[in-house]
């Protein structure tokens, strides 16, 4: 259980120092690992970059310790000073990422998406790395294109080359992932595979690959314009149609109740949830870099409806069947608050006695909320503060947990973090709709597995059970929507009754 405690200014400074040190040490360790394993040019990940990371850590730590030491905790002056230190530290981290590039850019992009966890000063400063990261020089681009295609840059549109690597706990994965991410032919194959896999989603667009003009170092793909998925102003300016097709019964109820159209951020969040639930639970082939710069929203040219554009297919996680099925069972248990099975499947995934921590990390909810039911109530401001304030305190336990879970879980954590950051920006975190979509995919995935090795009669039984479970989920969602609409109408009627009529 996460317990809130009152902290003094010294505690706050030490906690900030601890978090900053962990982040910078992870950046330095990632660079040193790649340098020592000769995956990149030693000049790119040498002592200069490690030195920058160490120096930045020292400056940030000193700033927190000295600036907040003598100010009364919780006072107006303290809050103002803390915000200023956060902002200075965030700018220093951003400058470090831009100077060191590669691994540091990836970590910075990840941190910039954690709106639900990190202070606003950090996320707003680091968001620049989603769309305006340092770029390769034109001379470098021309040289690669000449060598691989024998053409000049003006003839082609190309993807910029940046060394790919993941967050601080993913150092062990570098040897396996980095060569794949730097192979643009692999990226093109991933793009085509996921486009085929999710072709039934008419709201998803994956850019087409032009193979005749692509090599391991050059990727030519269709240009698709759009706004970042967390850019609500872009959505409003472009007046994207958010009407989505509903099943027959739902349409009847909405018409009878004069339901207003679905809010665009909620629709986008639902679409993302459907895509990633299908990837994780049904297919076990997961796009693992969904930061806002890689997920765009646009108006579909032929219908005018909202369409999601998925970019950057260099990093995917292929889940084993055992892991995928255990993960399905765990999420079903979390959604339906079956705490006995939550413990069972957390421990099957390597959590041991730290199973409450794994449940909290996967859901980004407090242990109290997990016990009450994550689909029963939205995230409150108090719970957000609780999670933020205690994040650094649990770093040793988090490290211990991450050392024992399957390696596949590391990229899943990263993916969940980035998706949760998008939901936080859209104001749709922990919506009942997203959990129900996840539950549908879990039901389908588990049923498909059971049907593989059984008789025709047993397969028929499983199909009926699957259909009944999916019907129950549809009915539950419909009831929630009707309740929400009824409550809204009661509140509207109350307001109309309380407010005086205009003269």
């Amino acid at each position: 259980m996460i317990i809130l405690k009152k902290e003094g200014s010294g505690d706050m400074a030490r906690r900030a120092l601890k978090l900053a040190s962990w982040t910078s040490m992870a950046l330095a360790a990632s660079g040193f690992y790649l340098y020592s394993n000769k995956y990149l040019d030693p000049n790119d990940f040498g002592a200069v970059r490690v030195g920058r990371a160490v120096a930045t850590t020292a400056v940030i730590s000193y700033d927190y310790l000295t600036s907040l030491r003598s100010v009364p905790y919780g006072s107006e002056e303290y809050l103002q000073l803390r915000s200023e230190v956060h902002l200075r530290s965030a700018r220093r981290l951003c400058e470090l990422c831009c100077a060191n590039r590669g691994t540091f850019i990836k970590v910075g992009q990840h941190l910039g998406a954690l709106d639900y966890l990190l202070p606003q000063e950090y996320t707003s400063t680091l968001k620049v790395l989603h769309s305006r990261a340092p770029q390769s020089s034109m001379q470098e681009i021309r040289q690669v294109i000449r060598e691989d295609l024998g053409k000049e840059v003006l003839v082609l549109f190309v993807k910029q080359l940046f060394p790919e690597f993941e967050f601080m706990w993913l150092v062990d994965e570098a040897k396996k992932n980095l060569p794949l991410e730097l192979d643009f032919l692999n990226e093109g194959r991933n793009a085509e595979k996921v486009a085929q896999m999710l072709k039934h989603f008419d709201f998803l667009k994956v850019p087409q690959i032009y193979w005749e003009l692509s090599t391991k170092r050059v990727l030519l793909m269709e240009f698709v314009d759009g706004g970042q998925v967390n850019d609500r102003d872009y959505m409003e300016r472009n007046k994207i149609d958010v009407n989505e097709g509903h099943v027959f019964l739902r349409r009847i109820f909405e018409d009878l109740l004069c339901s207003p159209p679905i809010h665009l951020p909620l629709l986008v969040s639902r679409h993302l949830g459907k895509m990633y639930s299908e990837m994780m639970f049904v297919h076990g082939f997961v796009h693992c870099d969904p930061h806002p710069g890689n997920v765009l929203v646009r108006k579909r040219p032929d219908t005018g409806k909202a369409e999601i554009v998925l970019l950057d297919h260099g990093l995917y996680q292929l889940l084993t069947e055992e892991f995928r099925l255990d993960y399905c069972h765990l999420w079903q248990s979390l959604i339906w608050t079956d705490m006995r099975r939550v413990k069972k499947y957390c421990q099957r995934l390597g959590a041991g006695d730290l199973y409450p921590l794994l449940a909290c990390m996967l859901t980004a909810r407090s242990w109290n909320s997990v016990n009450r039911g994550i689909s029963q109530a939205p995230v409150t401001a108090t719970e957000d503060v609780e999670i933020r304030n205690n994040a650094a305190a649990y770093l040793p336990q988090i490290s211990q947990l991450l050392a024992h879970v399957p390696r596949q879980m590391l990229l899943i954590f990263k993916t969940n973090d980035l998706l949760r950051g998008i939901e936080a920006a859209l104001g749709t975190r922990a919506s009942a709709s997203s959990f129900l979509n996840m539950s549908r995919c879990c039901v389908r995935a588990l049923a498909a597995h059971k049907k593989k090795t059984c008789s025709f009669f047993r397969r028929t039984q499983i199909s009926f059970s699957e259909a009944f479970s999916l019907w129950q989920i549809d009915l539950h969602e419909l009831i929630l929507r009707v309740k929400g609409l009824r409550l809204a109408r009661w509140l509207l009627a109350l307001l109309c009754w309380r407010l005086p009529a205009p003269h």
Side-chain angles (χ1 to χ4, degrees):
M1 184 181 298
I2 297 176
I3 302 173
L4 283 171
K5 62 179 180 180
K6 185 174 181 181
E7 296 176 302
S9 59
D11 293 330
M12 174 63 192
R14 281 190 293 273
R15 188 160 58 83
L17 166 62
K18 189 177 182 181
L19 186 57
S21 299
W22 271 71
T23 302
S24 298
M25 282 192 297
L27 290 166
S30 301
F32 179 76
Y33 182 92
L34 293 174
Y35 165 69
S36 62
N37 282 275
K38 302 295 185 290
Y39 284 108
L40 296 176
D41 184 345
N43 293 322
D44 290 338
F45 281 88
V48 173
R49 294 192 173 191
V50 175
R52 284 196 197 110
V54 172
T56 301
T57 302
V59 172
I60 290 175
S61 303
Y62 182 79
D63 197 1
Y64 274 107
L65 287 172
T66 57
S67 299
L68 302 176
R69 178 183 296 163
S70 58
V71 184
Y73 175 78
S75 65
E76 186 174 340
E77 182 185 4
Y78 174 88
L79 296 177
Q80 176 63 33
L81 277 175
R82 185 181 65 179
S83 178
E84 292 173 2
V85 176
H86 281 339
L87 185 58
R88 287 197 299 269
S89 301
R91 288 172 175 167
R92 287 169 180 140
L93 278 179
C94 190
E95 290 169 2
L96 172 66
C97 292
C98 290
N100 280 7
R101 300 171 57 162
T103 305
F104 296 78
I105 292 290
K106 300 304 295 181
V107 174
Q109 288 174 337
H110 190 156
L111 296 176
L114 301 183
D115 300 82
Y116 73 97
L117 183 62
L118 296 180
Q120 182 269 336
E121 293 86 352
Y122 278 90
T123 55
S124 61
T125 301
L126 294 171
K127 272 182 170 58
V128 68
L129 300 175
H130 291 154
S131 57
R132 295 194 295 276
Q135 300 179 347
S136 302
S137 70
M138 288 303 297
Q139 181 179 355
E140 293 170 325
I141 296 171
R142 288 192 184 100
Q143 180 181 347
V144 171
I145 292 174
R146 286 195 199 101
E147 290 174 359
D148 282 43
L149 296 176
K151 297 179 182 291
E152 290 297 323
V153 68
L154 294 177
V155 181
L156 304 172
F157 295 101
V158 296
K159 182 174 184 265
Q160 302 295 323
L161 176 64
F162 290 108
E164 299 281 344
F165 188 65
E166 304 316 319
F167 195 46
M168 54 195 268
W169 300 298
L170 303 181
V171 174
D172 291 339
E173 294 290 284
K175 184 175 182 179
K176 180 179 69 177
N177 292 330
L178 189 62
L180 293 175
E181 290 192 77
L182 296 175
D183 180 354
F184 285 167
L185 293 179
N186 176 68
E187 177 167 349
R189 288 190 292 268
N190 288 342
E192 290 195 341
K193 179 175 179 177
V194 80
Q196 177 66 22
M197 192 174 82
L198 303 181
K199 64 181 180 181
H200 55 289
F201 289 145
D202 61 359
F203 57 78
L204 174 63
K205 172 68 176 177
V206 176
Q208 179 183 350
I209 307 298
Y210 297 103
W211 290 110
E212 67 277 11
L213 294 172
S214 296
T215 72
K216 294 187 72 168
R217 298 196 297 166
V218 177
L219 184 65
L220 184 65
M221 66 177 69
E222 173 188 7
F223 176 75
V224 183
D225 199 8
Q228 288 191 6
V229 68
N230 58 350
D231 189 347
R232 300 177 70 158
D233 291 338
Y234 173 88
M235 300 178 194
E236 293 174 5
R237 285 196 311 271
N238 287 272
K239 298 181 173 60
I240 300 173
D241 183 6
V242 299
N243 252 342
E244 68 172 348
H246 297 284
V247 295
F248 179 68
L249 282 176
R250 193 180 300 164
R251 188 185 297 119
I252 290 176
F253 272 88
E254 289 183 345
D255 289 344
L256 286 174
L257 294 168
C258 304
S259 171
I262 295 173
H263 194 42
L264 180 56
L266 179 58
L267 178 66
V268 170
S269 184
R270 283 184 187 175
H271 285 346
L272 276 174
K274 289 178 182 177
M275 287 164 45
Y276 273 88
S277 293
E278 191 91 4
M279 290 185 210
M280 289 184 185
F281 301 120
V282 179
H283 299 283
F285 185 68
V286 188
H287 178 283
C288 289
D289 204 11
H291 67 71
N294 287 339
V295 185
L296 307 182
V297 178
R298 69 166 186 166
K299 182 184 291 187
R300 186 168 167 171
D302 53 346
T303 64
K305 295 185 184 298
E307 184 174 58
I308 291 177
V309 182
L310 191 61
L311 305 175
D312 196 347
H313 300 272
L315 182 60
Y316 274 73
Q317 179 68 67
L318 185 62
L319 307 179
T320 65
E321 185 166 353
E322 181 183 6
F323 177 91
R324 180 175 63 85
L325 295 175
D326 284 343
Y327 197 61
C328 281
H329 281 299
L330 175 55
W331 266 107
Q332 273 205 312
S333 305
L334 288 165
I335 292 167
W336 301 110
T337 325
D338 185 340
M339 300 310 297
R340 181 184 63 82
R341 287 167 65 86
V342 167
K343 179 179 180 179
K344 173 184 175 180
Y345 286 103
C346 280
Q347 291 182 335
R348 279 181 63 91
L349 290 169
D353 293 336
L354 293 174
Y355 72 91
L357 180 59
L358 177 58
C360 292
M361 288 172 64
L362 283 175
T363 59
R365 303 295 297 270
S366 69
W367 182 237
N368 285 335
S369 294
V370 172
N371 276 281
R372 287 196 303 267
I374 57 175
S375 61
Q376 301 303 311
V379 182
T380 64
T382 302
E383 186 178 359
D384 253 345
V385 170
E386 181 181 356
I387 293 169
R388 289 173 188 264
N389 284 348
N390 289 280
Y394 285 89
L395 285 175
Q397 290 88 345
I398 290 171
S399 297
Q400 182 183 346
L401 177 65
L402 293 172
H404 291 91
V405 296
R407 297 298 86 188
Q408 302 161 79
M409 184 68 84
L410 299 181
L411 284 178
I412 296 298
F413 276 133
K414 179 201 176 211
T415 304
N416 286 345
D417 272 347
L418 293 173
L419 290 173
R420 205 165 284 123
I422 291 173
E423 289 179 346
L426 295 176
T428 59
R429 272 185 67 200
S431 68
S433 176
S434 66
F435 290 129
L436 292 173
N437 282 327
M438 292 172 71
S439 190
R440 286 187 184 96
C441 284
C442 290
V443 167
R444 288 169 46 216
L446 294 172
H449 174 70
K450 292 175 184 176
K451 292 177 190 176
K452 285 182 178 179
T453 55
C454 60
S455 65
F456 173 77
F457 178 71
R458 179 59 181 150
R459 285 199 301 273
T460 304
Q461 283 184 312
I462 294 169
S463 295
F464 275 116
S465 176
E466 175 188 6
F468 181 69
S469 296
L470 292 173
W471 177 81
Q472 284 182 307
I473 294 171
D474 285 341
L475 182 61
H476 182 67
E477 183 177 28
L478 183 59
I479 291 170
L480 288 177
R481 290 170 67 85
V482 171
K483 282 182 178 179
L485 290 168
R486 187 176 298 166
L487 177 60
R489 298 205 176 284
W490 285 343
L491 291 173
L492 181 61
L494 179 62
L495 286 173
C496 292
W497 177 67
R498 295 287 296 175
L499 293 174
H503 299 289

